[in-house]
Structures are given as structure tokens and as C-alpha cells.
């Protein structure tokens, strides 16, 4: 087959029917550009939500859950036939929260090659007192340097400084919402009560916000030593070990490895902790797929219709070409090339327009309110989306052009020429 | 005289709207360099016969031999290749491709054949256009030409691959007296000088009278050969 000749004829057809060609191309152009914008924005949102959640979520968390053991203690009472069973319900023990040898375990895990860092933590429920009102909250004793390295805490500070925690004892930083409820600012003192009834006054040295209301309303951080002191525990008392990995997708694998080494503790990976976010992401991905597919399908039908019409208009020409010796596959090649030229040109321009729209969206201010740490719409710019866009455009037009082209190749010249 | 085309016992039915026998055992031979006219009343089957001879209509029974090749049972694509190489067509309604220039229209069958380089083909196409005195219009869009001019370009197109047989379906049917005469002269010249065989279906009595041989048809049969 002579592709060069077929291409020459195809281009002549397209150029002489400029308006029709442009309309067909616009269909592909809009389809692909909307696809790019959609997928860039959707994955941008997913990325943003994931980052926001993952910033505060360890890849693997080790802790001792407060759980009631399922087996019951049963004792037999009485003797002989005159006997009965007594069932006692177990109650959780008070010291369950402690991870035995916590600091040692943390050191050991930190030496594993897959691990980026480990941050030990002491966590407890406390009450912040604002006059007579008690505000329930959570205080975490952290290794400030390690916590900052893993969770970027210093980047979340609205006021004051994270490093001030290290400068003295009895210092605390509060979540934005919590500080508001407790009515304190940086430099103020705040009274804290533990569940055991111990009372202490801490100095507020900083205010942070994660952009997640539930956290900002309830979380506060102090040094490990400070929280251990509040809880009246020894310096080896650790309730959580937070682990970040070099590759977060290996979490499940490493979790089971650790599980085998430490049967006594409970491990949770980020997938379990963020099941709802992951489900949301999945749904958004499906939605993006469906909308993109529909856009391309509509563009494809546009091309199909125009090519069909084109072939009906060109019946006589096709008959002439066949009479003068052009074969069925030459005719198929001509019309297939026409739709491919439309598809590739529309696709490439679509990428350009899609990039432009995505860029405009990415610099559009986003009214997220004060809590979100975001000022413009989150948009991703990933080369694979653009490659996918062109590929989709190409395949759609190939299909949309193929059937009319096949029809054209089957036209019987005699019927047309006889009239 | 060397036989170029031989048709024997050609039978053709139309099934629509009702079964009807168009050609009843048509047999005849055409020699090399012969200028043949097929005449007859409308509906006598002469155009149908021409399309069977042209290899475009394969739905018939009987034998068709062109240049010693028996063409029965050939595939469409093979027949298209055969037409490209050995047959040239001129139709009543000139049927040039309107988007292309006169020159390009003439060149297309040769580009398809791919026997010569593009420069060579262009040169040959201009030669053919000169033969029909259309070379000065070669770069004009074919849709901008007059009917007589288009018909002459169509003849140049039919000649481009130096076919053995040139077939015409009422080639002058749509033309005035002077243009008809011109087309006739060109055909006559081709038969005389190039020894190319001309088979035309025509209603034009003067045109037929000037040709070497007249085949008259009536009701699907040849009544005078």
C-alpha cells in the first residue's frame, strides 16, 4: 500500500473541508483537554488529602490497645451434684498502655534499612482548665527533633516556635482550636489535669494547626519528660512508637515482619488508620475514570459521525478511485488517516489547552477557610497523564475512524457510477 | 489482428426490483487498436456489458479474457490492480476529484501504480494533458473547469498508465458538438497512433459512425457486430 499517496489524499480532503475538519478536531481537543484538567485536578486533590493525612500519620504505629481479653475466668463452686459455675468478667489492667522496653525497641527499629525514622511518644488524655470549664484534650510527649523530622511539625506552627519546647521544662504547644477554647495565647500559662487527678501548670510556647479540625481542636505536644512527669511515670514509659518508612507502600510487609519479632504489641499500618481516606480516593479515581471515558466517548462519536458524513459525501470520489485502480485497503487507509490526523492534531492541541487550564486552576485562589493549609486549588502536573491523554485520543479516533473507513472500502463503484 | 478482449456467453441478471435477464449469452471479441462503438436503445444492456468488461461488475456468468488473462474469480483487490495497469475509463459525467488540480487528477492512478518516480509521473501527466490540449490548465482545480475541459482531463487520466484498453460510457453524452468532435478526434488518434483499443458506449450517431466498428444491441443481445 502506498501510505504517502493515501496521506496526500487524506490531507487534501481535510484542507478542502476546513470547517468540517476543525469542528471534528475541536471535539477531540475539548475531550482531551477536559480529560487532562479532570485527571490533574482529581489526582491533585487526592494527593493533597493524602499528604494532609499522611503528614500526621505514621506509616506504622506500635501501641498497646486497651482491650478486654475475650476469655472468661470460670470457677466451679460447690461439690458433687450440687455444684455451679461462677463467671467473672475481666477488666482491662491499668498499665496496658505502656510498651515494654519501648525506647529499646525504637532504637532497634531505627537501625532497619527500610526505616526512615522512629519517634517514640507518650500519649494521654488530659483536661485543660479554662476557669471552671474543663476542656478534654490529648497531650503527647514527643522527642521534639525526631517528631519534627518525621512529621514536619515546625512547618505547622502558626505562632511561637517548636524549638522553645526544648528550652525549658513544663512547656506545651497547643492546637489552634484547643488554644482558642482554652483562651490562651503564646506566653500564657494553662492548667492541666490528668485522669488520675494530678494537676500541673504548663507554659504555652507555641500554637500549631494541621488543617484538620478534629486534631487542631484536641491535640497538644510537650517533651517526653514533661508528659512522663505529668503522668507520674518513669523515663522509660512509652505508649506509642511511630515509624516512617522510606517507601510507604511496604508498610504491610514490614508490619508483619515486626509483628513476628514482637508478639506482645499491637501494630497498625497507615492503610488501616486511613481506611476512609483510601476508600474516598478509590471512589474519586473511579469517578475520574468514568468522566474521562465519557468525554472521550463523546469526542469519538463526534468523529464517527463526521467521518460517516464525509464518506457519504465522497461516495462518487471513492467510486472513481476504485475504478482507476485503487484497492479497498487504499481507501481504508485514506479515511483512517483522515481521522487519525484529526485525532492527533486535536489531541496535541488538547494537551496544550488542558495544561493551560490546569495551570490557571493551580493559580486560582481557593477559599479554604482558616483551617486548611492551602491557598490555591491542588493540581498535579504528571507527564504520564499527558501521555495517556494523547494515547486515548489516538485510540478513540482510530476506532471512530475505522468503521466508516471500512464502510468506504466496501463501496461498490458500479452502483455509484451508474447513478 | 491480435485479440485484446474476449467475452464469451456473458449472462447477467438483475434481481431488483424483480428478476430480469439483462444480458443473454453475449459473446464478442475486440482486437488491438480497434475503435469500437456499442450502440442500442436505453435499457438494452450496453452499459451493463461495459461495466462487466471493465471488471468492476463481477456478478455475472460467462468468460471474460483481457490480454490473454482469464479474469473470472479474481479478488476485488487483484482486479483493481489489473484495472490500474491495463484499463482506462472515461465516464459520461467526467468524475474528476474536485479537491485536486487537473494535473493531480491525472497523476493519481500513476502514483497508485508506482511504476515511475513522482517527477517522472508529473512529466508524463503533462504530456498527456498536452495531448488533450489541457496543459495550460494543469494547475487549475478540476471543479473550476468547464464540462468539456473536465472530460478532456478525464481522458488524460485514463491514458496515464498507457492502458491497453480505454473504455468510455457515453464520453460525449454531456458535451456540445465541438467538444464531442474533439473527444472523438483524440480517441481516433489514440487508436491509430498508439494502437490502444477503444470501447465506447454511445448514443451519439455521428460518433458511432466514425468509429471502426459498431456493435448494436437490443434486449440483451447483439444484433449487429
Amino acid at each position: 500500500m502506498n501510505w504517502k499517496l493515501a496521506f496526500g489524499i487524506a490531507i487534501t480532503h481535510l484542507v478542502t473541508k476546513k470547517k468540517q475538519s476543525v469542528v471534528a478536531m475541536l471535539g477531540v481537543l475539548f475531550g482531551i483537554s477536559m480529560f487532562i484538567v479532570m485527571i490533574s485536578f482529581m489526582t491533585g486533590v487526592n494527593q493533597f488529602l493524602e499528604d494532609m493525612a499522611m503528614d500526621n500519620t505514621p506509616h506504622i504505629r506500635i501501641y498497646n490497645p486497651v482491650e478486654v481479653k475475650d476469655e472468661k475466668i470460670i470457677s466451679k463452686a460447690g461439690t458433687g451434684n450440687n455444684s455451679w459455675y461462677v463467671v467473672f468478667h475481666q477488666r482491662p489492667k491499668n498499665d496496658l498502655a505502656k510498651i515494654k522496653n519501648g525506647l529499646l525497641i525504637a532504637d532497634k527499629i531505627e537501625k532497619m534499612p527500610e526505616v526512615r525514622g522512629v519517634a517514640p511518644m507518650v500519649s494521654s488524655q488530659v483536661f485543660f482548665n479554662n476557669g471552671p470549664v474543663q476542656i478534654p484534650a490529648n497531650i503527647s510527649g514527643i522527642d521534639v527533633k525526631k517528631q519534627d523530622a518525621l512529621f514536619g511539625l515546625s512547618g505547622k506552627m502558626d505562632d511561637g516556635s517548636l524549638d522553645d519546647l526544648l528550652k525549658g521544662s513544663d512547656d506545651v504547644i497547643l492546637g489552634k482550636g484547643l488554644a482558642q477554647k482554652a483562651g490562651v495565647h503564646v506566653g500564657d500559662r494553662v492548667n492541666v489535669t490528668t485522669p488520675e487527678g494530678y494537676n500541673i501548670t504548663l507554659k504555652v510556647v507555641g500554637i500549631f494547626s494541621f488543617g484538620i479540625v478534629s486534631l487542631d481542636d484536641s491535640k497538644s505536644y510537650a517533651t517526653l519528660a514533661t508528659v512522663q512527669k505529668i503522668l507520674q511515670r518513669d523515663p522509660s514509659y512509652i505508649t506509642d512508637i511511630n515509624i516512617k518508612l522510606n517507601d510507604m507502600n511496604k508498610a504491610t510487609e514490614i508490619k508483619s515482619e515486626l509483628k513476628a519479632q514482637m508478639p506482645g504489641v499491637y501494630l497498625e499500618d497507615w492503610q488501616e488508620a486511613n481506611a476512609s481516606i483510601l476508600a474516598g480516593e478509590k471512589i474519586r479515581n473511579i469517578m475520574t475514570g468514568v468522566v474521562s471515558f465519557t468525554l472521550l466517548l463523546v469526542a469519538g462519536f463526534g468523529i464517527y459521525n463526521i467521518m460517516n458524513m464525509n464518506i457519504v459525501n465522497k461516495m462518487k470520489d471513492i467510486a472513481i478511485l476504485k475504478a482507476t485502480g485503487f484497492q479497498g485497503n487504499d481507501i481504508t487507509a485514506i479515511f483512517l488517516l483522515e481521522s487519525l490526523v484529526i485525532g492527533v492534531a486535536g489531541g496535541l492541541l488538547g494537551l496544550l489547552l488542558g495544561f493551560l487550564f490546569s495551570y490557571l486552576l493551580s493559580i486560582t485562589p481557593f477559599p479554604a477557610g482558616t483551617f486548611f493549609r492551602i491557598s490555591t486549588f491542588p493540581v498535579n502536573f504528571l507527564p504520564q497523564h499527558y501521555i495517556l491523554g494523547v494515547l486515548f485520543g489516538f485510540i478513540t479516533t482510530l476506532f471512530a475512524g475505522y468503521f466508516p473507513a471500512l464502510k468506504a472500502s466496501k463501496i461498490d463503484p458500479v452502483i455509484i457510477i451508474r447513478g | 489482428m491480435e485479440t485484446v478482449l474476449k467475452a464469451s456467453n456473458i449472462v447477467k441478471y438483475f434481481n431488483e426490483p424483480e428478476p430480469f435477464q439483462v444480458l443473454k449469452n453475449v459473446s464478442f471479441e475486440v482486437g488491438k487498436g480497434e475503435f469500437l462503438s456499442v450502440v442500442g436503445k436505453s435499457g438494452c444492456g450496453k452499459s451493463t456489458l461495459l461495466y462487466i468488461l471493465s471488471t468492476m461488475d463481477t456478478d455475472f456468468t460467462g468468460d471474460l479474457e483481457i490480454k490473454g488473462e482469464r479474469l473470472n474469480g479474481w479478488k476485488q483487490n487483484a482486479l483493481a490492480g489489473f484495472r490500474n495497469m491495463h484499463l482506462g475509463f472515461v465516464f459520461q459525467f467526467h468524475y474528476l476529484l474536485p479537491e485536486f488540480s487537473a494535473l493531480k487528477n491525472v497523476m493519481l492512478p500513476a502514483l497508485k501504480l508506482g511504476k515511475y518516480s513522482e517527477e517522472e509521473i508529473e512529466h508524463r501527466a503533462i504530456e498527456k494533458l498536452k495531448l488533450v490540449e489541457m496543459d495550460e490548465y494543469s494547475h487549475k482545480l478540476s471543479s473550476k473547469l468547464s464540462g468539456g475541459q473536465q472530460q478532456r482531463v478525464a481522458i488524460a487520466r485514463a491514458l496515464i498508465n498507457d492502458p491497453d484498453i480505454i473504455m468510455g460510457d457515453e464520453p460525449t453524452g454531456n458535451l456540445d458538438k465541438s467538444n464531442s468532435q474533439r473527444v472523438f478526434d483524440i480517441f481516433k488518434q489514440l487508436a491509430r497512433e498508439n494502437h490502444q483499443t477503444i470501447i465506447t458506449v454511445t448514443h451519439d450517431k455521428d460518433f458511432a459512425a466514425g468509429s471502426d466498428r459498431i456493435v448494436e444491441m437490443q434486449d440483451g443481445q447483439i444484433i449487429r457486430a
Side-chain angles (χ1 to χ4, degrees):
Chain A
M1 197 185 322
N2 190 337
W3 285 101
K4 196 183 149 207
L5 178 59
F7 189 71
I9 296 175
I11 291 292
T12 309
H13 280 172
L14 288 174
V15 171
T16 42
K17 289 256 181 220
K18 267 193 211 81
K19 224 187 227 164
Q20 185 189 286
S21 309
V22 166
V23 168
M25 216 179 64
L26 283 179
V28 184
L29 188 146
F30 287 128
I32 301 289
S33 61
M34 282 303 116
F35 166 76
I36 292 293
V37 172
M38 279 282 301
I39 203 161
S40 300
F41 182 50
M42 282 293 191
T43 55
V45 169
N46 279 348
Q47 181 84 50
F48 167 71
L49 289 175
E50 197 184 302
D51 283 352
M52 199 166 72
M54 287 314 294
D55 266 3
N56 308 309
T57 311
H59 294 154
I60 301 175
R61 180 179 160 222
I62 303 177
Y63 66 103
N64 265 346
V66 178
E67 55 183 342
V68 181
K69 291 219 167 66
D70 213 23
E71 70 255 32
K72 304 288 186 251
I73 300 167
I74 300 176
S75 65
K76 210 173 176 183
T79 51
N81 287 334
N82 190 22
S83 69
W84 63 91
Y85 292 101
V86 178
V87 180
F88 298 93
H89 288 272
Q90 275 208 68
R91 291 187 179 179
K93 278 193 237 160
N94 192 25
D95 63 355
L96 270 179
K98 179 185 177 177
I99 299 173
K100 280 182 190 135
N101 296 324
L103 289 172
L104 225 70
I105 292 172
D107 277 349
K108 210 174 109 191
I109 293 171
E110 196 153 28
K111 291 199 179 82
M112 290 172 65
E114 300 93 339
V115 172
R116 199 176 82 210
V118 176
M121 194 162 92
V122 186
S123 228
S124 174
Q125 301 298 320
V126 287
F127 291 107
F128 284 81
N129 303 320
N130 182 8
V133 181
Q134 288 195 317
I135 299 140
N138 177 289
I139 191 161
S140 296
I142 52 172
D143 183 322
V144 176
K145 289 272 179 255
K146 285 181 176 171
Q147 190 79 12
D148 189 27
L150 294 193
F151 299 100
L153 208 53
S154 53
K156 309 277 197 272
M157 299 302 293
D158 281 355
D159 201 358
S161 147
L162 185 65
D163 290 335
D164 287 346
L165 274 184
L166 292 170
K167 284 179 187 154
S169 63
D170 297 352
D171 289 339
V172 69
I173 58 171
L174 302 184
K176 193 173 175 176
L178 183 59
Q180 238 163 39
K181 283 200 274 184
V184 290
H185 299 97
V186 171
D188 292 351
R189 290 182 177 279
V190 63
N191 195 267
V192 179
T193 309
T194 67
E196 283 83 19
Y198 183 76
N199 238 308
I200 189 171
T201 302
L202 299 175
K203 188 182 165 203
V204 179
V205 295
I207 304 224
F208 64 85
S209 70
F210 287 127
I212 301 172
V213 178
S214 61
L215 290 182
D216 294 342
D217 268 2
S218 66
K219 213 119 176 79
S220 63
Y221 289 108
T223 59
L224 274 173
T226 307
V227 178
Q228 280 159 356
K229 187 172 119 192
I230 297 169
L231 298 175
Q232 296 171 289
R233 304 285 178 172
D234 58 276
S236 71
Y237 184 83
I238 299 291
T239 60
D240 293 79
I241 299 173
N242 293 328
I243 304 168
K244 282 262 187 188
L245 302 174
N246 289 321
D247 179 4
M248 66 188 248
N249 294 318
K250 283 194 178 156
T252 315
E253 196 181 308
I254 289 167
K255 188 185 95 174
S256 42
E257 198 179 310
L258 290 173
K259 185 85 187 158
Q261 290 174 22
M262 295 173 288
V265 295
Y266 192 84
L267 293 109
E268 182 187 67
D269 59 32
W270 62 271
Q271 283 107 325
E272 294 172 283
N274 291 306
S276 61
I277 289 179
L278 285 176
E281 192 175 319
K282 228 177 227 164
I283 290 167
R284 275 191 300 275
N285 280 340
I286 292 171
M287 214 168 76
T288 311
V290 169
V291 173
S292 311
F293 183 73
T294 312
L295 285 171
L296 291 172
L297 202 71
V298 170
F301 264 106
I303 293 185
Y304 177 81
N305 275 335
I306 286 176
M307 287 312 289
N308 251 339
M309 232 166 59
N310 191 12
I311 281 157
V312 170
N313 288 338
K314 290 235 177 322
M315 292 261 243
K316 265 205 286 189
D317 293 25
I318 294 166
I320 284 296
L321 285 169
K322 282 190 150 182
T324 57
F326 282 74
Q327 300 173 349
N329 47 10
D330 292 313
I331 308 292
T332 310
I334 291 169
F335 288 95
L336 204 55
L337 282 171
E338 281 185 36
S339 50
L340 281 187
V341 167
I342 290 172
V344 170
L348 289 176
L349 288 174
L351 289 195
L352 213 69
L353 194 70
F355 175 78
L356 193 76
F357 280 157
S358 304
Y359 174 72
L360 288 178
L361 190 64
S362 76
I363 56 167
T364 306
F366 177 59
T370 47
F371 270 115
F372 276 114
R373 293 201 153 270
I374 189 171
S375 54
T376 59
F377 285 91
V379 179
N380 265 352
F381 294 94
L382 295 176
Q384 60 258 41
H385 293 157
Y386 290 76
I387 293 169
L388 202 69
V390 166
L391 220 62
F392 268 2
F394 188 78
I395 290 169
T396 315
T397 44
L398 196 70
F399 271 106
Y402 181 69
F403 296 102
L406 203 64
K407 197 166 106 188
S409 78
K410 295 209 172 103
I411 286 173
D412 185 353
V414 179
I415 292 169
I416 312 300
I417 294 171
R418 291 189 74 122
Chain B
M1 191 163 41
E2 188 189 339
T3 303
V4 166
L5 183 145
K6 189 174 158 192
S8 9
N9 304 318
I10 304 277
V11 175
K12 162 93 184 170
Y13 284 91
F14 278 158
N15 296 320
E16 300 280 329
E18 52 203 40
F20 168 68
Q21 190 173 11
V22 206
L23 297 175
K24 303 164 182 164
N25 271 319
V26 175
S27 302
F28 73 111
E29 289 182 13
V30 188
K32 186 174 163 70
E34 211 175 350
F35 185 171
L36 180 90
S37 290
V38 182
V39 297
K41 297 214 167 64
S42 282
C44 70
K46 56 189 192 309
S47 284
T48 307
L49 177 66
L50 188 76
Y51 285 114
I52 287 171
L53 299 182
S54 79
T55 78
M56 282 195 271
D57 188 349
T58 53
D59 181 22
F60 66 95
T61 56
D63 278 346
L64 177 63
E65 231 176 73
I66 297 177
K67 286 214 68 178
E69 300 252 28
R70 195 170 169 271
L71 296 172
N72 296 55
W74 281 36
K75 292 258 186 307
Q76 282 300 336
N77 279 347
L79 287 174
F82 187 85
R83 283 200 291 276
N84 189 226
M85 215 179 302
H86 299 295
L87 303 179
F89 289 95
V90 182
F91 303 97
Q92 178 176 10
F93 305 101
H94 353 87
Y95 289 140
L96 296 174
L97 303 181
E99 298 95 342
F100 295 88
S101 67
L103 179 65
K104 193 84 190 182
N105 262 290
V106 176
M107 285 170 71
L108 278 175
L111 290 169
K112 168 59 197 163
L113 185 64
K115 195 166 145 195
Y116 302 104
S117 72
E118 200 170 330
E119 292 78 37
E120 182 84 28
I121 289 169
E122 187 171 337
H123 178 73
R124 288 169 60 85
I126 289 172
E127 289 296 306
K128 302 295 177 198
L129 284 169
K130 267 190 189 138
L131 193 70
V132 295
E133 294 168 35
M134 279 299 294
D135 50 315
E136 56 188 309
Y137 301 99
S138 60
H139 290 288
K140 236 178 150 164
L141 217 55
S142 65
S143 54
K144 299 266 160 68
L145 299 173
S146 76
Q149 289 172 326
Q150 287 195 35
Q151 194 59 296
R152 279 186 278 156
V153 173
I155 293 171
R157 183 182 62 192
L159 297 176
I160 187 70
N161 286 340
D162 293 329
D164 300 286
I165 306 173
I166 296 152
M167 296 189 185
D169 185 8
E170 310 264 9
T172 58
N174 224 15
L175 302 180
D176 62 14
K177 196 77 201 149
S178 66
N179 273 313
S180 292
Q181 188 59 41
R182 232 178 175 142
V183 168
F184 177 83
D185 291 343
I186 294 166
F187 278 171
K188 197 93 187 168
Q189 185 189 356
L190 290 170
R192 289 291 161 276
E193 292 171 14
N194 302 356
H195 303 290
Q196 284 167 300
T197 305
I198 316 281
I199 303 174
T200 57
V201 164
T202 185
H203 274 121
D204 186 337
K205 290 214 168 56
D206 297 338
F207 189 97
S211 60
D212 297 347
R213 189 174 140 204
I214 296 175
V215 170
E216 196 177 342
M217 288 185 72
Q218 192 182 326
D219 297 332
Q221 282 169 316
I222 293 177
I223 55 168
R224 182 162 66 99

